[in-house]
Amino acid sequence: MSVLAVKHLSKTFAAGGMFRAIGKAKRAVDDVSFSLDAGQTLAIVGESGSGKSTTARLAMRLLQPDSGQISWAGEDVSALSGRALRQRRHHIQMVFQDPFASLNPRMKIWQSVCEGLRVHQPELSNADRRNKVAETLNMCGLDDSGMDRYPHQFSGGQRQRIGIARALIVEPAVLALDEPVSALDVSVQAQILNLLKDIQQARGLAYLFISHDLSVVRHIADSVAVMFAGRIVEQGRAADVFEHPRHPYTRALLDARPIVHPNERKPVSDNHDIGEGMAETGCAYQPRCPYASSDCAVFDGCLNPDGFACLHPLR
C-alpha cells in the first residue's frame, strides 16, 4: 500500500486585486497523479513556477485542491478538515527551504522541536518531551546540550538539522522536503543529504523531494517526476529519466545543468530556453520545443503508459 497517493490533482489560483479581478487565473497544478511507497524517494523537478511546491502543499493538505484525491496510507483525506485532519497530520511532515525563516526566533530549540508533541502526544509530561527532543536531535547529528539555545545561535546547516528533527519528532511516514539544501553551502548540502538517506534507511521513511537541482536529485531520488506548467510531462525511475529522457523539456533541463568538464558540453538549441513562455492550448511546451508540430496544439498533455507526455518523444 502506498503511504502517499494523489490522483488527478488540480489547483487554480485566482488572479486579482483587493476589489476586482486582474488578469487571468493561473492553473498551478493540472491533473497530477503519483504514488509513493515506504522507503522510497520521489523527486519532483522543474523550473520556478512549474507547480512543484504547490503540488507538495496540496499533498500535505496545506492547500485545498480544486479537484482530485489525496490518500495517506490508503485513507482518503481530500475532504477532511478541522480536528479530523489535524489528528492525521503526523502522517506527513515538511522540511522547508529556509531553515532560519522556518524557526520561531523567540522560541528555544527544544520548544520548537516539541511543538508537534503537544498536539499529537499531549499525554507526555514536560520531562518526557525534553527526553524525546534530545533523542531526536541526537539522531539528526546535534548535541542535546544546545536545546535551550535560540535559532540565531546555530549555523545554517545546524538549523536545517533542527528543522528535520522537528519534522521527525511526531514519527511521520512521509517527509515533504521542499528544496531542503538549496540555501546551504555545498559541503553542508552533502552532509544533510547523507543524513536524510541514513534516517530513511533507519526508519523506512518515504520522501517527496522538491528540487530544481538535478545533481542533488540524481544523488537521492529513486524516481523522478518532471513538471512543466503545472503538469507532469515525464515520470519514471531516476536512472531512466537521467540517462534516456523522452520529453524535450526533460532534455532541456538536463542540458541546462552546469558543465563539470568542457568535453561534457552538449549543444542546446535556442528553442530549449527554459525562460520562455508557454502555450495556452494543447502542449504547453510547444513554443519552446524544436520538434513541435500542428498536432501539438490539440494534444491533451496526458502521460502515456511509458511515463511521458509528448507526441514526438526523443529516441
Side-chain angles (χ1 to χ4, degrees):
M1 180 187 297
S2 298
V3 291
L4 172 65
V6 303
K7 297 179 181 179
H8 307 297
L9 206 60
S10 295
K11 180 66 177 179
T12 299
F13 291 105
M18 184 177 297
F19 301 109
R20 63 185 179 87
I22 300 174
K24 297 181 179 179
K26 176 177 175 55
R27 192 69 173 257
V29 175
D30 187 5
D31 196 27
V32 165
S33 300
F34 62 82
S35 63
L36 183 56
D37 294 332
Q40 298 295 302
T41 299
L42 169 64
I44 302 181
V45 302
E47 63 192 74
S48 297
S50 61
K52 309 184 301 295
S53 294
T54 302
T55 298
R57 283 164 170 75
L58 288 169
M60 290 190 66
R61 285 299 321 277
L62 296 178
L63 293 174
Q64 179 66 29
D66 296 334
S67 61
Q69 184 183 63
I70 303 164
S71 298
W72 298 346
E75 180 185 7
D76 186 354
V77 298
S78 309
L80 293 183
S81 61
R83 184 176 181 181
L85 178 61
R86 187 165 58 252
Q87 289 176 336
R88 292 164 175 78
R89 283 206 179 277
H90 65 89
H91 180 79
I92 180 169
Q93 294 288 300
M94 178 171 275
V95 176
F96 297 92
Q97 178 178 1
D98 187 340
F100 188 70
S102 64
L103 295 171
N104 189 330
R106 296 186 177 184
M107 294 178 69
K108 294 179 180 179
I109 293 308
W110 85 270
Q111 294 172 321
S112 291
V113 173
C114 85
E115 274 191 295
L117 293 179
R118 299 182 186 278
V119 176
H120 298 290
Q121 299 181 33
E123 71 280 1
L124 293 180
S125 67
N126 206 47
D128 289 337
R129 289 180 187 139
R130 283 186 66 94
N131 288 336
K132 190 160 186 177
V133 168
E135 292 173 3
T136 309
L137 289 173
N138 291 158
M139 175 186 293
C140 295
L142 291 171
D143 190 340
D144 55 44
S145 63
M147 288 199 306
D148 290 309
R149 293 160 61 188
Y150 291 90
H152 72 272
Q153 297 175 286
F154 294 86
S155 68
Q158 289 173 324
R159 286 195 289 263
Q160 193 60 297
R161 290 174 186 266
I162 294 166
I164 294 170
R166 182 178 58 181
L168 292 175
I169 197 76
V170 294
E171 302 177 7
V174 185
L175 282 188
L177 303 155
D178 191 1
E179 302 274 10
V181 297
S182 63
L184 306 176
D185 294 338
V186 174
S187 60
V188 180
Q189 287 184 12
Q191 296 172 17
I192 297 299
L193 291 174
N194 288 333
L195 171 66
L196 288 171
K197 292 183 76 171
D198 291 342
I199 291 172
Q200 185 177 49
Q201 292 176 359
R203 292 199 170 189
L205 287 172
Y207 290 160
L208 182 62
F209 195 93
I210 309 301
S211 182
H212 67 276
D213 190 331
L214 296 179
S215 62
V216 169
V217 168
R218 191 165 194 169
H219 177 71
I220 199 169
D222 298 298
S223 56
V224 175
V226 181
M227 286 195 73
F228 177 76
R231 281 202 163 193
I232 293 178
V233 297
E234 184 163 359
Q235 186 171 359
R237 292 176 59 249
D240 294 338
V241 172
F242 277 92
E243 298 300 329
H244 305 289
R246 303 301 304 277
H247 197 282
Y249 177 65
T250 307
R251 172 65 61 80
L253 285 178
L254 294 173
D255 286 349
R257 289 177 297 175
I259 302 301
V260 177
H261 189 278
N263 292 335
E264 296 180 10
R265 181 177 297 277
K266 297 179 181 179
V268 182
S269 164
D270 288 340
N271 288 327
H272 280 183
D273 183 356
I274 63 173
E276 295 178 1
M278 61 189 72
E280 294 185 5
T281 60
C283 175
Y285 190 62
Q286 58 182 302
R288 309 184 195 180
C289 183
Y291 311 103
S293 67
S294 58
D295 294 335
C296 298
V298 295
F299 177 54
D300 63 9
C302 294
L303 287 174
N304 66 27
D306 292 327
F308 60 89
C310 186
L311 292 176
H312 309 288
L314 302 176
R315 301 295 181 185

